[in-house]
Each structure stands twice: as C-alpha cells, then as structure tokens.
PDB file of all heavy atoms in Angstrom:
ATOM      1  N   PRO Z  81     159.749 -62.912  94.208  1.00  0.00           N
ATOM      2  CA  PRO Z  81     159.935 -61.472  93.913  1.00  0.00           C
ATOM      3  C   PRO Z  81     158.643 -60.784  93.727  1.00  0.00           C
ATOM      4  O   PRO Z  81     157.649 -61.381  93.222  1.00  0.00           O
ATOM      5  CB  PRO Z  81     160.810 -61.491  92.651  1.00  0.00           C
ATOM      6  CG  PRO Z  81     161.409 -62.865  92.535  1.00  0.00           C
ATOM      7  CD  PRO Z  81     160.462 -63.768  93.262  1.00  0.00           C
ATOM      8  N   GLU Z  82     158.547 -59.515  93.999  1.00  0.00           N
ATOM      9  CA  GLU Z  82     157.295 -58.758  93.864  1.00  0.00           C
ATOM     10  C   GLU Z  82     156.736 -58.754  92.441  1.00  0.00           C
ATOM     11  O   GLU Z  82     155.551 -58.853  92.254  1.00  0.00           O
ATOM     12  CB  GLU Z  82     157.531 -57.325  94.333  1.00  0.00           C
ATOM     13  CG  GLU Z  82     156.218 -56.575  94.535  1.00  0.00           C
ATOM     14  CD  GLU Z  82     156.408 -55.242  95.238  1.00  0.00           C
ATOM     15  OE1 GLU Z  82     157.342 -55.087  96.027  1.00  0.00           O
ATOM     16  OE2 GLU Z  82     155.512 -54.375  95.023  1.00  0.00           O
ATOM     17  N   THR Z  83     157.672 -58.714  91.439  1.00  0.00           N
ATOM     18  CA  THR Z  83     157.174 -58.783  90.059  1.00  0.00           C
ATOM     19  C   THR Z  83     156.491 -60.122  89.758  1.00  0.00           C
ATOM     20  O   THR Z  83     155.437 -60.109  89.057  1.00  0.00           O
ATOM     21  CB  THR Z  83     158.250 -58.516  89.057  1.00  0.00           C
ATOM     22  OG1 THR Z  83     159.320 -59.520  89.279  1.00  0.00           O
ATOM     23  CG2 THR Z  83     158.882 -57.154  89.161  1.00  0.00           C
ATOM     24  N   GLU Z  84     156.966 -61.177  90.313  1.00  0.00           N
ATOM     25  CA  GLU Z  84     156.351 -62.475  90.076  1.00  0.00           C
ATOM     26  C   GLU Z  84     155.037 -62.578  90.882  1.00  0.00           C
ATOM     27  O   GLU Z  84     154.089 -63.174  90.397  1.00  0.00           O
ATOM     28  CB  GLU Z  84     157.303 -63.594  90.476  1.00  0.00           C
ATOM     29  CG  GLU Z  84     158.431 -63.777  89.494  1.00  0.00           C
ATOM     30  CD  GLU Z  84     159.332 -64.965  89.862  1.00  0.00           C
ATOM     31  OE1 GLU Z  84     158.752 -66.012  90.305  1.00  0.00           O
ATOM     32  OE2 GLU Z  84     160.575 -64.852  89.681  1.00  0.00           O
ATOM     33  N   ALA Z  85     154.965 -61.935  92.050  1.00  0.00           N
ATOM     34  CA  ALA Z  85     153.735 -61.929  92.818  1.00  0.00           C
ATOM     35  C   ALA Z  85     152.659 -61.124  92.028  1.00  0.00           C
ATOM     36  O   ALA Z  85     151.474 -61.524  92.016  1.00  0.00           O
ATOM     37  CB  ALA Z  85     153.961 -61.277  94.202  1.00  0.00           C
ATOM     38  N   ASP Z  86     153.053 -60.045  91.361  1.00  0.00           N
ATOM     39  CA  ASP Z  86     152.123 -59.282  90.546  1.00  0.00           C
ATOM     40  C   ASP Z  86     151.656 -60.097  89.380  1.00  0.00           C
ATOM     41  O   ASP Z  86     150.463 -60.105  89.085  1.00  0.00           O
ATOM     42  CB  ASP Z  86     152.765 -58.002  90.034  1.00  0.00           C
ATOM     43  CG  ASP Z  86     152.976 -56.956  91.127  1.00  0.00           C
ATOM     44  OD1 ASP Z  86     152.394 -57.060  92.210  1.00  0.00           O
ATOM     45  OD2 ASP Z  86     153.787 -55.990  90.883  1.00  0.00           O
ATOM     46  N   ASP Z  87     152.531 -60.825  88.752  1.00  0.00           N
ATOM     47  CA  ASP Z  87     152.168 -61.666  87.616  1.00  0.00           C
ATOM     48  C   ASP Z  87     151.208 -62.767  88.088  1.00  0.00           C
ATOM     49  O   ASP Z  87     150.248 -63.081  87.384  1.00  0.00           O
ATOM     50  CB  ASP Z  87     153.415 -62.343  86.988  1.00  0.00           C
ATOM     51  CG  ASP Z  87     154.267 -61.363  86.269  1.00  0.00           C
ATOM     52  OD1 ASP Z  87     153.812 -60.240  85.931  1.00  0.00           O
ATOM     53  OD2 ASP Z  87     155.461 -61.706  86.010  1.00  0.00           O
ATOM     54  N   PHE Z  88     151.482 -63.370  89.289  1.00  0.00           N
ATOM     55  CA  PHE Z  88     150.606 -64.321  89.852  1.00  0.00           C
ATOM     56  C   PHE Z  88     149.181 -63.762  90.039  1.00  0.00           C
ATOM     57  O   PHE Z  88     148.188 -64.401  89.737  1.00  0.00           O
ATOM     58  CB  PHE Z  88     151.082 -64.921  91.122  1.00  0.00           C
ATOM     59  CG  PHE Z  88     150.240 -66.025  91.665  1.00  0.00           C
ATOM     60  CD1 PHE Z  88     150.357 -67.301  91.213  1.00  0.00           C
ATOM     61  CD2 PHE Z  88     149.219 -65.702  92.571  1.00  0.00           C
ATOM     62  CE1 PHE Z  88     149.503 -68.304  91.690  1.00  0.00           C
ATOM     63  CE2 PHE Z  88     148.372 -66.695  93.037  1.00  0.00           C
ATOM     64  CZ  PHE Z  88     148.492 -67.989  92.570  1.00  0.00           C
ATOM     65  N   LEU Z  89     149.072 -62.545  90.596  1.00  0.00           N
ATOM     66  CA  LEU Z  89     147.791 -61.940  90.829  1.00  0.00           C
ATOM     67  C   LEU Z  89     147.011 -61.799  89.534  1.00  0.00           C
ATOM     68  O   LEU Z  89     145.824 -62.133  89.481  1.00  0.00           O
ATOM     69  CB  LEU Z  89     147.999 -60.571  91.466  1.00  0.00           C
ATOM     70  CG  LEU Z  89     146.767 -59.717  91.621  1.00  0.00           C
ATOM     71  CD1 LEU Z  89     145.720 -60.402  92.517  1.00  0.00           C
ATOM     72  CD2 LEU Z  89     147.097 -58.384  92.259  1.00  0.00           C
ATOM     73  N   PHE Z  90     147.663 -61.339  88.477  1.00  0.00           N
ATOM     74  CA  PHE Z  90     146.992 -61.232  87.172  1.00  0.00           C
ATOM     75  C   PHE Z  90     146.546 -62.622  86.637  1.00  0.00           C
ATOM     76  O   PHE Z  90     145.454 -62.711  86.089  1.00  0.00           O
ATOM     77  CB  PHE Z  90     147.905 -60.497  86.161  1.00  0.00           C
ATOM     78  CG  PHE Z  90     148.121 -59.090  86.508  1.00  0.00           C
ATOM     79  CD1 PHE Z  90     149.366 -58.545  86.633  1.00  0.00           C
ATOM     80  CD2 PHE Z  90     147.023 -58.195  86.647  1.00  0.00           C
ATOM     81  CE1 PHE Z  90     149.580 -57.257  86.935  1.00  0.00           C
ATOM     82  CE2 PHE Z  90     147.208 -56.879  86.920  1.00  0.00           C
ATOM     83  CZ  PHE Z  90     148.507 -56.361  87.102  1.00  0.00           C
ATOM     84  N   ARG Z  91     147.382 -63.628  86.790  1.00  0.00           N
ATOM     85  CA  ARG Z  91     146.958 -64.967  86.355  1.00  0.00           C
ATOM     86  C   ARG Z  91     145.805 -65.441  87.185  1.00  0.00           C
ATOM     87  O   ARG Z  91     144.848 -66.104  86.676  1.00  0.00           O
ATOM     88  CB  ARG Z  91     148.133 -65.971  86.556  1.00  0.00           C
ATOM     89  CG  ARG Z  91     149.048 -65.968  85.371  1.00  0.00           C
ATOM     90  CD  ARG Z  91     149.955 -67.172  85.463  1.00  0.00           C
ATOM     91  NE  ARG Z  91     150.091 -67.568  86.831  1.00  0.00           N
ATOM     92  CZ  ARG Z  91     151.085 -68.182  87.442  1.00  0.00           C
ATOM     93  NH1 ARG Z  91     152.017 -68.626  86.703  1.00  0.00           N
ATOM     94  NH2 ARG Z  91     151.083 -68.491  88.704  1.00  0.00           N
ATOM     95  N   PHE Z  92     145.807 -65.221  88.544  1.00  0.00           N
ATOM     96  CA  PHE Z  92     144.686 -65.602  89.387  1.00  0.00           C
ATOM     97  C   PHE Z  92     143.379 -64.954  88.905  1.00  0.00           C
ATOM     98  O   PHE Z  92     142.375 -65.637  88.783  1.00  0.00           O
ATOM     99  CB  PHE Z  92     145.016 -65.188  90.814  1.00  0.00           C
ATOM    100  CG  PHE Z  92     143.792 -65.253  91.764  1.00  0.00           C
ATOM    101  CD1 PHE Z  92     143.267 -66.489  92.150  1.00  0.00           C
ATOM    102  CD2 PHE Z  92     143.160 -64.127  92.213  1.00  0.00           C
ATOM    103  CE1 PHE Z  92     142.163 -66.592  92.989  1.00  0.00           C
ATOM    104  CE2 PHE Z  92     142.071 -64.185  93.053  1.00  0.00           C
ATOM    105  CZ  PHE Z  92     141.551 -65.430  93.436  1.00  0.00           C
ATOM    106  N   LEU Z  93     143.446 -63.662  88.620  1.00  0.00           N
ATOM    107  CA  LEU Z  93     142.266 -62.981  88.162  1.00  0.00           C
ATOM    108  C   LEU Z  93     141.768 -63.533  86.816  1.00  0.00           C
ATOM    109  O   LEU Z  93     140.588 -63.668  86.614  1.00  0.00           O
ATOM    110  CB  LEU Z  93     142.531 -61.459  88.094  1.00  0.00           C
ATOM    111  CG  LEU Z  93     142.762 -60.800  89.416  1.00  0.00           C
ATOM    112  CD1 LEU Z  93     143.235 -59.319  89.222  1.00  0.00           C
ATOM    113  CD2 LEU Z  93     141.569 -60.887  90.354  1.00  0.00           C
ATOM    114  N   GLU Z  94     142.683 -63.790  85.918  1.00  0.00           N
ATOM    115  CA  GLU Z  94     142.313 -64.256  84.614  1.00  0.00           C
ATOM    116  C   GLU Z  94     141.868 -65.729  84.623  1.00  0.00           C
ATOM    117  O   GLU Z  94     140.814 -66.070  84.040  1.00  0.00           O
ATOM    118  CB  GLU Z  94     143.543 -64.115  83.632  1.00  0.00           C
ATOM    119  CG  GLU Z  94     143.233 -64.535  82.216  1.00  0.00           C
ATOM    120  CD  GLU Z  94     144.401 -64.435  81.336  1.00  0.00           C
ATOM    121  OE1 GLU Z  94     145.468 -63.981  81.728  1.00  0.00           O
ATOM    122  OE2 GLU Z  94     144.304 -64.884  80.189  1.00  0.00           O
ATOM    123  N   LYS Z  95     142.658 -66.584  85.219  1.00  0.00           N
ATOM    124  CA  LYS Z  95     142.420 -68.071  85.146  1.00  0.00           C
ATOM    125  C   LYS Z  95     141.473 -68.576  86.154  1.00  0.00           C
ATOM    126  O   LYS Z  95     140.724 -69.561  85.844  1.00  0.00           O
ATOM    127  CB  LYS Z  95     143.757 -68.807  85.256  1.00  0.00           C
ATOM    128  CG  LYS Z  95     144.850 -68.392  84.306  1.00  0.00           C
ATOM    129  CD  LYS Z  95     144.592 -68.933  82.951  1.00  0.00           C
ATOM    130  CE  LYS Z  95     145.756 -68.580  82.069  1.00  0.00           C
ATOM    131  NZ  LYS Z  95     145.612 -68.938  80.713  1.00  0.00           N
ATOM    132  N   ALA Z  96     141.439 -68.033  87.322  1.00  0.00           N
ATOM    133  CA  ALA Z  96     140.558 -68.561  88.422  1.00  0.00           C
ATOM    134  C   ALA Z  96     139.264 -67.764  88.540  1.00  0.00           C
ATOM    135  O   ALA Z  96     138.182 -68.358  88.779  1.00  0.00           O
ATOM    136  CB  ALA Z  96     141.268 -68.596  89.738  1.00  0.00           C
ATOM    137  N   ILE Z  97     139.307 -66.484  88.352  1.00  0.00           N
ATOM    138  CA  ILE Z  97     138.112 -65.677  88.514  1.00  0.00           C
ATOM    139  C   ILE Z  97     137.405 -65.431  87.194  1.00  0.00           C
ATOM    140  O   ILE Z  97     136.273 -65.912  87.029  1.00  0.00           O
ATOM    141  CB  ILE Z  97     138.490 -64.342  89.177  1.00  0.00           C
ATOM    142  CG1 ILE Z  97     139.200 -64.553  90.570  1.00  0.00           C
ATOM    143  CG2 ILE Z  97     137.303 -63.437  89.328  1.00  0.00           C
ATOM    144  CD1 ILE Z  97     138.351 -65.298  91.575  1.00  0.00           C
ATOM    145  N   GLU Z  98     137.981 -64.708  86.311  1.00  0.00           N
ATOM    146  CA  GLU Z  98     137.287 -64.380  85.035  1.00  0.00           C
ATOM    147  C   GLU Z  98     136.919 -65.601  84.190  1.00  0.00           C
ATOM    148  O   GLU Z  98     135.870 -65.651  83.559  1.00  0.00           O
ATOM    149  CB  GLU Z  98     138.096 -63.372  84.196  1.00  0.00           C
ATOM    150  CG  GLU Z  98     138.220 -62.042  84.894  1.00  0.00           C
ATOM    151  CD  GLU Z  98     139.201 -61.074  84.181  1.00  0.00           C
ATOM    152  OE1 GLU Z  98     139.833 -61.513  83.192  1.00  0.00           O
ATOM    153  OE2 GLU Z  98     139.311 -59.956  84.616  1.00  0.00           O
ATOM    154  N   ALA Z  99     137.806 -66.583  84.176  1.00  0.00           N
ATOM    155  CA  ALA Z  99     137.565 -67.830  83.396  1.00  0.00           C
ATOM    156  C   ALA Z  99     136.354 -68.576  83.927  1.00  0.00           C
ATOM    157  O   ALA Z  99     135.761 -69.361  83.210  1.00  0.00           O
ATOM    158  CB  ALA Z  99     138.772 -68.716  83.383  1.00  0.00           C
ATOM    159  N   ASN Z 100     135.950 -68.351  85.164  1.00  0.00           N
ATOM    160  CA  ASN Z 100     134.845 -69.025  85.771  1.00  0.00           C
ATOM    161  C   ASN Z 100     133.596 -68.111  85.925  1.00  0.00           C
ATOM    162  O   ASN Z 100     132.709 -68.365  86.683  1.00  0.00           O
ATOM    163  CB  ASN Z 100     135.231 -69.628  87.140  1.00  0.00           C
ATOM    164  CG  ASN Z 100     136.104 -70.766  87.021  1.00  0.00           C
ATOM    165  OD1 ASN Z 100     135.709 -71.818  86.473  1.00  0.00           O
ATOM    166  ND2 ASN Z 100     137.352 -70.631  87.470  1.00  0.00           N
ATOM    167  N   SER Z 101     133.642 -67.006  85.120  1.00  0.00           N
ATOM    168  CA  SER Z 101     132.525 -66.055  85.120  1.00  0.00           C
ATOM    169  C   SER Z 101     132.253 -65.510  86.529  1.00  0.00           C
ATOM    170  O   SER Z 101     131.083 -65.378  86.947  1.00  0.00           O
ATOM    171  CB  SER Z 101     131.238 -66.656  84.547  1.00  0.00           C
ATOM    172  OG  SER Z 101     131.485 -67.062  83.214  1.00  0.00           O
ATOM    173  N   LEU Z 102     133.329 -65.142  87.220  1.00  0.00           N
ATOM    174  CA  LEU Z 102     133.237 -64.567  88.556  1.00  0.00           C
ATOM    175  C   LEU Z 102     133.842 -63.185  88.594  1.00  0.00           C
ATOM    176  O   LEU Z 102     134.482 -62.742  87.615  1.00  0.00           O
ATOM    177  CB  LEU Z 102     133.980 -65.473  89.529  1.00  0.00           C
ATOM    178  CG  LEU Z 102     133.465 -66.853  89.746  1.00  0.00           C
ATOM    179  CD1 LEU Z 102     134.416 -67.738  90.504  1.00  0.00           C
ATOM    180  CD2 LEU Z 102     132.090 -66.853  90.382  1.00  0.00           C
ATOM    181  N   ALA Z 103     133.582 -62.444  89.638  1.00  0.00           N
ATOM    182  CA  ALA Z 103     134.178 -61.106  89.857  1.00  0.00           C
ATOM    183  C   ALA Z 103     134.630 -61.117  91.314  1.00  0.00           C
ATOM    184  O   ALA Z 103     134.136 -61.887  92.131  1.00  0.00           O
ATOM    185  CB  ALA Z 103     133.214 -60.046  89.574  1.00  0.00           C
ATOM    186  N   CYS Z 104     135.599 -60.246  91.624  1.00  0.00           N
ATOM    187  CA  CYS Z 104     136.081 -60.219  92.973  1.00  0.00           C
ATOM    188  C   CYS Z 104     136.549 -58.802  93.348  1.00  0.00           C
ATOM    189  O   CYS Z 104     136.846 -57.983  92.484  1.00  0.00           O
ATOM    190  CB  CYS Z 104     137.172 -61.210  93.267  1.00  0.00           C
ATOM    191  SG  CYS Z 104     138.727 -60.873  92.451  1.00  0.00           S
ATOM    192  N   GLY Z 105     136.606 -58.543  94.630  1.00  0.00           N
ATOM    193  CA  GLY Z 105     137.155 -57.365  95.163  1.00  0.00           C
ATOM    194  C   GLY Z 105     138.051 -57.714  96.353  1.00  0.00           C
ATOM    195  O   GLY Z 105     137.838 -58.731  97.005  1.00  0.00           O
ATOM    196  N   GLY Z 106     139.033 -56.908  96.608  1.00  0.00           N
ATOM    197  CA  GLY Z 106     139.953 -57.169  97.641  1.00  0.00           C
ATOM    198  C   GLY Z 106     141.350 -56.906  97.197  1.00  0.00           C
ATOM    199  O   GLY Z 106     141.634 -56.129  96.302  1.00  0.00           O
ATOM    200  N   GLY Z 107     142.322 -57.632  97.728  1.00  0.00           N
ATOM    201  CA  GLY Z 107     143.699 -57.470  97.382  1.00  0.00           C
ATOM    202  C   GLY Z 107     144.555 -57.831  98.532  1.00  0.00           C
ATOM    203  O   GLY Z 107     144.279 -58.703  99.340  1.00  0.00           O
ATOM    204  N   GLY Z 108     145.709 -57.140  98.624  1.00  0.00           N
ATOM    205  CA  GLY Z 108     146.687 -57.418  99.642  1.00  0.00           C
ATOM    206  C   GLY Z 108     148.057 -56.957  99.151  1.00  0.00           C
ATOM    207  O   GLY Z 108     148.206 -56.246  98.163  1.00  0.00           O
ATOM    208  N   ARG Z 109     149.020 -57.382  99.915  1.00  0.00           N
ATOM    209  CA  ARG Z 109     150.441 -57.156  99.589  1.00  0.00           C
ATOM    210  C   ARG Z 109     151.170 -58.461  99.650  1.00  0.00           C
ATOM    211  O   ARG Z 109     150.834 -59.336 100.477  1.00  0.00           O
ATOM    212  CB  ARG Z 109     151.067 -56.253 100.622  1.00  0.00           C
ATOM    213  CG  ARG Z 109     150.602 -54.842 100.577  1.00  0.00           C
ATOM    214  CD  ARG Z 109     151.406 -54.061 101.625  1.00  0.00           C
ATOM    215  NE  ARG Z 109     151.193 -52.666 101.384  1.00  0.00           N
ATOM    216  CZ  ARG Z 109     151.681 -51.752 102.176  1.00  0.00           C
ATOM    217  NH1 ARG Z 109     152.475 -52.086 103.181  1.00  0.00           N
ATOM    218  NH2 ARG Z 109     151.445 -50.450 101.959  1.00  0.00           N
ATOM    219  N   PRO Z 110     152.174 -58.614  98.804  1.00  0.00           N
ATOM    220  CA  PRO Z 110     152.923 -59.829  98.855  1.00  0.00           C
ATOM    221  C   PRO Z 110     153.408 -60.086 100.300  1.00  0.00           C
ATOM    222  O   PRO Z 110     153.862 -59.167 100.932  1.00  0.00           O
ATOM    223  CB  PRO Z 110     154.106 -59.637  97.875  1.00  0.00           C
ATOM    224  CG  PRO Z 110     153.649 -58.558  96.971  1.00  0.00           C
ATOM    225  CD  PRO Z 110     152.738 -57.743  97.780  1.00  0.00           C
ATOM    226  N   PRO Z 111     153.237 -61.241 100.846  1.00  0.00           N
ATOM    227  CA  PRO Z 111     152.797 -62.517 100.158  1.00  0.00           C
ATOM    228  C   PRO Z 111     151.341 -62.856 100.421  1.00  0.00           C
ATOM    229  O   PRO Z 111     150.927 -63.922  99.963  1.00  0.00           O
ATOM    230  CB  PRO Z 111     153.721 -63.502 100.837  1.00  0.00           C
ATOM    231  CG  PRO Z 111     153.850 -63.029 102.260  1.00  0.00           C
ATOM    232  CD  PRO Z 111     153.874 -61.539 102.127  1.00  0.00           C
ATOM    233  N   ALA Z 112     150.515 -62.030 101.094  1.00  0.00           N
ATOM    234  CA  ALA Z 112     149.168 -62.502 101.440  1.00  0.00           C
ATOM    235  C   ALA Z 112     148.080 -61.614 100.770  1.00  0.00           C
ATOM    236  O   ALA Z 112     148.216 -60.415 100.690  1.00  0.00           O
ATOM    237  CB  ALA Z 112     148.984 -62.365 102.953  1.00  0.00           C
ATOM    238  N   TYR Z 113     147.033 -62.277 100.291  1.00  0.00           N
ATOM    239  CA  TYR Z 113     145.965 -61.658  99.611  1.00  0.00           C
ATOM    240  C   TYR Z 113     144.579 -62.204 100.078  1.00  0.00           C
ATOM    241  O   TYR Z 113     144.506 -63.377 100.430  1.00  0.00           O
ATOM    242  CB  TYR Z 113     146.043 -61.921  98.086  1.00  0.00           C
ATOM    243  CG  TYR Z 113     147.297 -61.352  97.471  1.00  0.00           C
ATOM    244  CD1 TYR Z 113     148.507 -62.033  97.531  1.00  0.00           C
ATOM    245  CD2 TYR Z 113     147.295 -60.059  96.865  1.00  0.00           C
ATOM    246  CE1 TYR Z 113     149.670 -61.470  96.973  1.00  0.00           C
ATOM    247  CE2 TYR Z 113     148.434 -59.571  96.297  1.00  0.00           C
ATOM    248  CZ  TYR Z 113     149.615 -60.248  96.401  1.00  0.00           C
ATOM    249  OH  TYR Z 113     150.752 -59.730  95.819  1.00  0.00           O
ATOM    250  N   GLU Z 114     143.571 -61.327 100.057  1.00  0.00           N
ATOM    251  CA  GLU Z 114     142.204 -61.762 100.436  1.00  0.00           C
ATOM    252  C   GLU Z 114     141.176 -61.129  99.459  1.00  0.00           C
ATOM    253  O   GLU Z 114     141.342 -59.949  99.109  1.00  0.00           O
ATOM    254  CB  GLU Z 114     141.859 -61.283 101.814  1.00  0.00           C
ATOM    255  CG  GLU Z 114     142.739 -61.931 102.916  1.00  0.00           C
ATOM    256  CD  GLU Z 114     142.373 -61.464 104.296  1.00  0.00           C
ATOM    257  OE1 GLU Z 114     141.428 -60.655 104.460  1.00  0.00           O
ATOM    258  OE2 GLU Z 114     143.026 -61.918 105.254  1.00  0.00           O
TER     259      GLU Z 114
END
C-alpha cells in the first residue's frame, strides 16, 4: 500500500542514509525509487 511505501521511504532515509552520515537527492513513485 502507498502508506507503507511512504513509511519505507522514511525508514530508508533514517536507517540507511542518515544513520551512515550520508545525504541523498532523488525520489520516485511507488514502487520504484532512485
């Protein structure tokens, strides 16, 4: 569901990007992101 895809995006940003002292730009629409 789109709400779960949004939740996943926030987790990705917090756990994979920010937790590793990284920054990113981009995005997408469910189900694909870059």
Side-chain angles (χ1 to χ4, degrees):
E82 192 168 335
T83 56
E84 288 183 38
D86 289 344
D87 290 342
F88 181 85
L89 174 60
F90 292 123
R91 275 193 335 204
F92 168 72
L93 294 173
E94 180 183 357
K95 305 283 186 186
I97 301 300
E98 293 173 356
N100 288 296
S101 299
L102 298 169
C104 70
R109 289 184 169 178
Y113 297 84
E114 295 180 2

